[in-house]
Amino acid sequence: MTSSKPRNEELFDRARQLMPGGVNSPVRAFGSVGGTPRFMVSAKGPYLTDADGKEYVDLVCSWGPALLGHAHPAVLDAVHAAVDRGLSFGASTPDEANLAEIVKERVPAVERLRMVSTGTEATMTAVRLARGFTGRNLIIKFAGCYHGHLDGLLAAAGSGVATLALPGSAGVTEATAAETLVLPYNDLTAVKEAFAAHGQNIAAVITEAAPANMGVVTPGEGFNLGLSRITREHGALLIVDEVLTGFRTGYSGYWGLTGGAPDAAEPWTPDLLTFGKVIGGGMPTAALGGRADVMDYLAPTGPVYQAGTLSGNPVAMAAGVATLTHATRDVYSFIDVRSLELSSALSSALDSAGVDHSIQFAGNLFSVAFGTSANGVHNYADAQAQESFRYAPFFHSMLEAGVYLPPSVFEAWFLSAAHDDTAMNRIFDALPAAAKAAAAAQG
């Protein structure tokens, strides 16, 4: 008998019998918006197509990597050529240095680069390296900033200054969590007080260049500069996580728009940076880089061990080189304009429907936070306090209209160089009904 269920439902039912929650990354399960996740079978330009044959304008863009649009011809050609040469050699390849050279040209703070396979691996290695270089144990992170699923960085938000964190996930021991100090984001006073109390034991401060995992949160004026000053004063390192923002918010990432910008009033330079997503052009690739004296503490030149069988995978390197080569400054200018157009249209639709909100920006990334017009969102507490119940009906209205948004209010919206007028108009047309659905939501 032929099933009457939509193919997406059939696939989700099967997946739940085989994988925890039916997914391999939690947000894909639609847990915060409800309903059946869409199983995508193809993508081209600004569009996704699901297992039931429905096409969507994509505002997730693989969480960033599809900067040029899906299935960009130059990237596909590079990947096909690399595949023809072999999938993995377990040895060095020319494109590893080619990609490292492109990164170094774009981000002068990177004097050395180490390729890894995931953003989590990049931040894990950066933290281990910071501890090895400084001989200290404690790490400061900020509530609401996500740095991958490394045990010590899943620490839950603490209250007060320099609170020793409790585990933020089952399986994370209290001893591991106790090596992380969790502070409120955008609060330099808390950072200064933490260093006053624990400075001799703090190896590093790790922060997202601009947080985009509690929704987008703009760093306060002078916040990242202040972190750079404080860490240098106390002999600790500053790790700037650009796994999400790197080569996405601009040609040189978010640091390139701020502390590394040519016209920066007070330039500042992180000691280490981590990259992912765009750097691999859609393939599983990430990296960490920074000061040569710090990076040279990694094996084989130094005592901090890190290795990976698939690090610098030749197919992934080819995708990364092709993506960054074609991600010209004109591409970023185009995406910047599209981002402003969409965020303005979103705000106008919500205003017309009487929905209180604020739009949070980090370069061309943005997100919406409901019920926050009075003060905006400056930290995790602000993000948690928003009227998040309005997002699910908003999301599903857009989904039904053929627009695929991030399935969580705590994520950024992504555009690409392939979002032409036709795609943008489809999004604009869907916004008024979605805004009304958000207005009608009951908490």
Side-chain angles (χ1 to χ4, degrees), residues 78-360:
V79 168
H80 290 160
V83 167
D84 288 343
R85 294 190 293 268
L87 297 181
S88 180
F89 308 136
S92 296
T93 66
D95 265 347
E96 293 173 75
N98 291 338
L99 184 53
E101 191 169 51
I102 293 172
V103 171
K104 188 173 180 180
E105 179 272 322
R106 285 176 172 241
V107 186
V110 173
E111 296 175 348
R112 298 276 194 279
L113 193 76
R114 170 64 56 91
M115 301 295 181
V116 293
S117 296
T118 69
T120 293
E121 189 181 357
T123 58
M124 175 187 73
T125 304
V127 166
R128 180 185 302 161
L129 179 57
R131 285 176 169 146
F133 184 80
T134 63
R136 303 172 181 179
N137 294 331
L138 294 180
I139 301 293
I140 287 177
K141 66 153 288 189
F142 298 100
C145 285
Y146 178 69
H147 304 290
H149 55 89
L150 170 64
D151 281 4
L153 299 183
L154 281 176
S159 60
V161 176
T163 301
L164 291 177
L166 297 175
S169 168
V172 178
T173 67
E174 290 187 17
T176 297
E179 292 184 332
T180 305
L181 308 178
V182 182
L183 304 179
Y185 188 72
N186 269 329
D187 188 342
L188 280 179
T189 298
V191 177
K192 292 174 182 176
E193 292 179 0
F195 270 94
H198 305 283
Q200 294 305 307
N201 295 316
I202 296 172
V205 174
I206 185 168
T207 184
E208 290 183 74
N213 289 283
M214 49 178 152
V216 174
V217 176
T218 309
E221 185 175 354
F223 180 69
N224 285 337
L225 171 64
L227 295 181
S228 178
R229 287 175 172 170
I230 293 167
T231 50
R232 289 183 184 277
E233 178 185 347
H234 290 272
L237 301 185
L238 176 60
I239 304 169
V240 170
D241 183 344
E242 293 238 35
V243 167
L244 197 151
T245 56
F247 315 117
R248 186 17 112 162
T249 54
Y251 186 83
S252 302
Y254 197 75
W255 175 73
L257 295 177
T258 53
D263 59 351
E266 292 188 72
W268 58 273
T269 303
D271 300 293
L272 294 171
L273 300 99
T274 59
F275 304 101
K277 303 186 188 297
V278 174
I279 197 178
M283 298 295 289
T285 295
L288 67 148
R291 284 169 42 190
D293 60 328
V294 178
M295 289 296 296
D296 283 344
Y297 252 63
L298 283 174
T301 55
V304 176
Y305 192 74
Q306 182 277 332
T309 299
L310 296 179
S311 296
N313 174 270
V315 180
M317 295 296 97
V321 168
T323 297
L324 291 185
T325 297
H326 287 82
T328 63
R329 295 185 187 277
D330 286 344
V331 163
Y332 292 104
S333 295
F334 177 86
I335 296 174
D336 289 347
V337 170
R338 287 304 198 211
S339 176
L340 286 174
E341 291 173 347
L342 179 51
S343 58
S344 296
L346 169 60
S347 191
S348 294
L350 292 172
D351 282 340
S352 295
V355 180
D356 184 276
H357 69 282
S358 65
I359 307 292
Q360 311 296 132

Side-chain angles (χ1 to χ4, degrees), residues 194 363 431:
L431 286 172

Side-chain angles (χ1 to χ4, degrees), residues 25 30 33 59 101 167 192 200 248 261 274 347 366 376 386-387 394 407 426 438:
S25 191
F30 277 29
V33 293
L59 291 175
E101 191 169 51
K192 292 174 182 176
Q200 294 305 307
R248 186 17 112 162
T274 59
S347 191
F366 68 89
Q386 72 173 290
E387 295 174 350
F394 180 88
R426 285 177 59 176

Side-chain angles (χ1 to χ4, degrees), residues 16-38:
R16 280 183 289 187
Q17 301 302 313
L18 299 167
M19 298 178 286
V23 296
N24 285 308
S25 191
V27 73
R28 299 175 192 171
F30 277 29
S32 68
V33 293
T36 301
R38 301 306 189 258

